[in-house]
Amino acid sequence: MMRIEGAIGPASTSYLGDGLAEARNSDARLVIIAMDTPGGLDTSMREIIRDILAMDIPVVTYVHPSGARAASAGTYILYASHFAAMTPGTNLGAATPIQIGAPTAPEQSPDEEEEDGEPQPASVSDRKAVNDAVAYIRSLAEMRGRNADWAEEAVRGAASLSANAALEQNVIDIVAEDVGSLLEQLDGRTVVVAGEEIELRTQGLVLREFETTWVTQVLATITNPNIALLLLMIGVYGLMFEFLNPGALVPGTVGAISLLIGLYALAALPVDFAGIALIVLGIGLMVAEAFAPSFGVLGIGGVAAFVFGTTIMLDTDVPEFQLDRSFIAALGVFSAVLVIFVARAGIASFRHRIVTGAEELIGASAKVMDWQGGKGHVFVHSERWNARGPDNLAAGDEVVVTKMKGLEMTVATHNALEGRTDG
């Protein structure tokens, strides 16, 4: 027995795939999938259905406990199973692709309706999505001998049914109060599995629950879009701080690990490549601001690109797999604060006196060692330099360095500089 609770995504696919493989390896007589889901990702749903259809062991999908539902993707999985069962007080249906059934869709005009009165999606792409979903669920219904017309209505009209109504309309096979009652009602029933007709003997079967592994738990955590994006940002900022402070090691190590895990999580989710490109561009501009300060121009552009990219990053309308707007705002504010800090540091650096290199010698005091005809040598910072300047200098005079050209400096007396300033 396995359990699906919550939205169907990469973690659900991994868990059910491992459980079905374990059932085959342990020669199980039956597989029960207890389900309570609002729906999920189309790619994950289809992968789960492929695994169920490939099973040579009967699979029972059981909407359980009371109050649970098998909406959207859950309805498809229910139709794909060898037996479909529900607990009283549960429901199934509303299998319309979410982007088609969204309340923002324009109202249909009378000439856009089919002859039987069912409304048609407004755009060509929406009609393609609905027709594809209808064909898919009808094929599953025909394979299992269930009500294909109601399955189509669940897609086109987002129809739903209670447990007893579903049993009456041949959508499910069993209504059972609990797992014990389910096994009792399954006993003696026949089903075609892998081309062979099998009579179930469920009396006295020992029920073993397949527990979620730590790998699946980790996958469920990191495939949360908010966690995936957070890992991506930790990775980028960690590497950035490592490059700014070579040898720190900790930021670089944590950043590299976080970045790889974040990229793996995003690869498992239905991402929009335009959104990913904007995020990469935004991060690149913010990093460029840190290494080549532009007084905030690059950084502000990076924050704008990053925030807009995150809003369109995921190509799905399933609420459980969308980024939280407040989380996006928090990351945007943090990035903006970082950009402001870097920009202020860049502006402040122009006010600081240069303390390294040849430019640091400009304005330094020097002592004349020897002088003749406007040329000679001066002693500055414990070094002897070639110099040129006024003709009237003599050994021991105090001068100021005013210019550097190659290995020769130009000097002037303090009085001359003061006079130039006063003028």
Side-chain angles (χ1 to χ4, degrees):
M1 183 171 181
M2 294 174 285
R3 299 182 184 274
I4 298 179
E5 296 178 350
I8 293 171
S12 306
T13 303
S14 174
Y15 167 66
L16 285 178
D18 292 343
L20 294 174
E22 175 67 18
R24 283 192 294 266
N25 295 335
S26 60
D27 295 325
R29 302 283 298 278
L30 188 70
V31 174
I32 300 175
I33 302 174
M35 182 165 57
D36 178 12
T37 179
L41 301 178
D42 179 76
T43 52
S44 298
M45 174 199 75
R46 289 177 182 262
E47 190 170 342
I48 290 171
I49 289 175
R50 282 196 295 269
D51 289 341
I52 291 175
L53 297 180
M55 285 293 288
D56 55 3
I57 301 169
V59 176
V60 181
T61 298
Y62 182 33
V63 186
H64 181 77
S66 185
R69 57 177 169 164
S72 191
T75 301
Y76 291 81
I77 295 173
L78 200 69
Y79 262 82
S81 304
H82 298 93
F83 290 99
M86 297 176 71
T87 301
T90 59
N91 67 283
L92 83 161
T96 306
I98 289 181
Q99 63 269 27
I100 308 303
T104 55
E107 295 184 2
Q108 301 292 329
S109 59
D111 59 346
E112 289 178 319
E113 296 186 356
E114 290 184 338
E115 293 181 359
D116 59 3
E118 291 182 351
Q120 287 292 291
S123 69
V124 174
S125 60
D126 288 353
R127 287 197 292 272
K128 288 173 63 177
V130 167
N131 291 335
D132 177 69
V134 166
Y136 189 49
I137 200 167
R138 285 193 73 96
S139 68
L140 296 174
E142 292 165 0
M143 176 185 293
R144 300 305 186 198
R146 299 198 175 95
N147 190 332
D149 292 335
W150 183 87
E152 181 172 347
E153 177 62 22
V155 175
R156 293 195 185 278
S160 295
L161 285 176
S162 64
N164 291 327
L167 183 63
E168 291 175 2
Q169 296 193 35
N170 189 33
V171 173
I172 63 171
D173 306 294
I174 296 171
V175 174
E177 292 279 352
D178 52 33
V179 176
S181 173
L182 175 64
L183 291 175
E184 277 185 27
Q185 296 186 56
L186 284 171
D187 190 56
R189 296 198 180 212
T190 59
V191 62
V192 176
V193 180
E196 296 184 9
E197 188 174 280
I198 299 174
E199 183 177 353
L200 295 182
R201 296 299 179 190
T202 56
Q203 290 292 338
L205 285 182
V206 177
L207 188 66
R208 180 168 69 91
E209 287 212 25
F210 182 74
E211 300 293 338
T212 305
T213 64
W214 68 269
V215 175
T216 302
Q217 292 173 350
V218 170
L219 183 61
T221 300
I222 65 174
T223 51
N224 179 314
N226 298 301
I227 299 298
L229 183 59
L230 180 62
L231 288 170
L232 188 66
M233 296 305 299
I234 291 174
V236 170
Y237 285 129
L239 293 177
M240 185 175 72
F241 292 144
E242 180 67 32
F243 290 140
L244 288 172
N245 300 278
L249 298 181
V250 173
T253 303
V254 174
I257 294 173
S258 299
L259 183 61
L260 290 175
I261 295 175
L263 291 173
Y264 171 78
L266 290 178
L269 294 170
V271 296
D272 187 308
F273 290 104
I276 293 296
L278 282 170
I279 290 175
V280 171
L281 174 63
I283 291 173
L285 291 175
M286 288 187 283
V287 171
E289 180 68 42
F291 286 94
S294 63
F295 307 107
V297 175
L298 291 175
I300 293 172
V303 172
F306 172 79
V307 171
F308 187 71
T310 54
T311 59
I312 65 172
M313 181 181 73
L314 293 175
D315 187 19
T316 178
D317 289 320
V318 179
E320 289 78 6
F321 290 97
Q322 289 185 329
L323 287 166
D324 188 275
R325 301 286 176 168
S326 59
F327 181 70
I328 294 176
L331 283 180
V333 170
F334 174 79
S335 299
V337 170
L338 184 63
V339 166
I340 292 172
F341 174 79
V342 171
R344 289 188 61 184
I347 294 171
S349 67
F350 283 90
R351 302 194 190 104
H352 296 162
R353 185 175 179 275
I354 299 174
V355 295
T356 59
E359 291 81 1
E360 184 269 339
L361 292 171
I362 305 298
S365 294
K367 188 174 183 179
V368 177
M369 301 180 67
D370 56 78
W371 201 260
Q372 185 176 4
K375 294 182 179 180
H377 297 90
V378 298
F379 191 73
V380 57
H381 290 187
S382 303
E383 295 176 336
R384 184 172 181 266
W385 286 82
N386 296 324
R388 65 170 56 241
D391 294 336
N392 58 350
L393 293 180
D397 288 350
E398 294 289 337
V399 293
V400 177
V401 180
T402 60
K403 185 179 178 181
M404 289 288 301
K405 185 177 180 181
L407 296 178
E408 185 180 66
M409 58 180 55
T410 301
V411 298
T413 62
H414 287 281
N415 291 336
L417 288 177
E418 290 174 0
R420 186 188 308 169
T421 304
D422 293 340

